[in-house]
Amino acid sequence: MDLRHLRYIVASARNGSFSAAAHEFNVRQPIVSKRIKQVEQELRVQLFDRSTSGAQLTPAGEEFVVGARRIVEDVDRLTARAKANGAGKLGRVVVGFYKSLSSGGFRVALGDFRERYPEIEVELIETPFIELTAGVLSGAIDTAIILGDVGKCKVLESIALWSEHLVVALPEDHRLAGQPLIYWPELKGERFLISHHDPGPDIRNILLHNLAAPSDHPEIDTRYLSRESILAEVSVGQGVALQCESAVGLASLGVVFRPVHNGNGATRLGYIACWRSDNTNPARKSFIDALKPRS
């Protein structure tokens, strides 16, 4: 007796006919009849009463079909889950990210993914860049979402995702607070507060790229503070701070945000997803595909 026999029995009981069961499986009626007879001979129990009008379950057959139906349904369910897992529609994916990504584009993308793939469990890990890359390399993290350009992590695969405007946080009474946007040269001479935590180092590189000169470097004060605490320091006149666009949504009394522009327009910060090339988790692939920018 195998699963095929059970399927024929369940279908015959449901349809009240061997012929109807055969039609359901696209086989000839004698095949169904023969397979069911083999089971009856193996069990030494008659499962069906045959007649010209069809096939009806015997009392023993009724009890047998209850268990047979449960087995068939369990196998079908397991098969469907295995196929869904292989297709990346079911499973679990571990995603690492900076604390500064706890709002903005990442949260929007994460919400869309969870709505699209409700059967995939997403475990989030919020940790610094070094630990993110170590986690991906060790296999503990399936993919990391970080600030930067494709190729930043040379030993990992990566893909460009979304980008955000770079904004500068200013005290409300700052000389530039009344302007709708700020150009880089207008920020010369300012004291910049950045966090030691990610993406502070990336922000520092952006500052140096746009404001450093052979005889002039921006004043940068690196502090072991969260983004919220940095903004609190800005509000009391301790300096200004470059932030990702998502920071604009933070309620910070005494701080205004203005986009930073260069000669070509707004300065933007790009985000990428990184993963190990040998990571074969189908759920990871679905997550990356869902986050890819639409053309």
Side-chain angles (χ1 to χ4, degrees), residues 193-216:
L193 306 181
I194 67 172
S195 174
H196 174 80
H197 309 296
D198 293 310
D202 294 293
I203 297 295
R204 180 186 180 88
N205 290 336
I206 293 170
L207 271 171
L208 294 175
H209 174 75
N210 287 279
L211 291 179
S215 59
D216 182 26

Side-chain angles (χ1 to χ4, degrees), residues 48-113:
F48 289 91
D49 285 326
R50 282 93 165 158
S51 69
T52 55
S53 60
Q56 301 298 318
L57 288 169
T58 64
E62 290 179 356
E63 182 178 352
F64 181 87
V65 164
V66 171
R69 186 180 295 113
R70 185 179 303 116
I71 292 171
V72 169
E73 290 174 350
D74 286 346
V75 170
D76 287 345
R77 187 161 44 250
L78 286 171
T79 300
R81 289 181 67 85
K83 288 181 177 179
N85 201 321
K89 297 180 180 179
L90 179 73
R92 176 173 174 270
V93 61
V94 181
V95 181
F97 66 104
Y98 298 154
K99 182 176 181 180
S100 63
L101 290 181
S102 57
S103 59
F106 174 64
R107 283 297 173 181
V108 172
L110 182 61
D112 290 344
F113 176 79

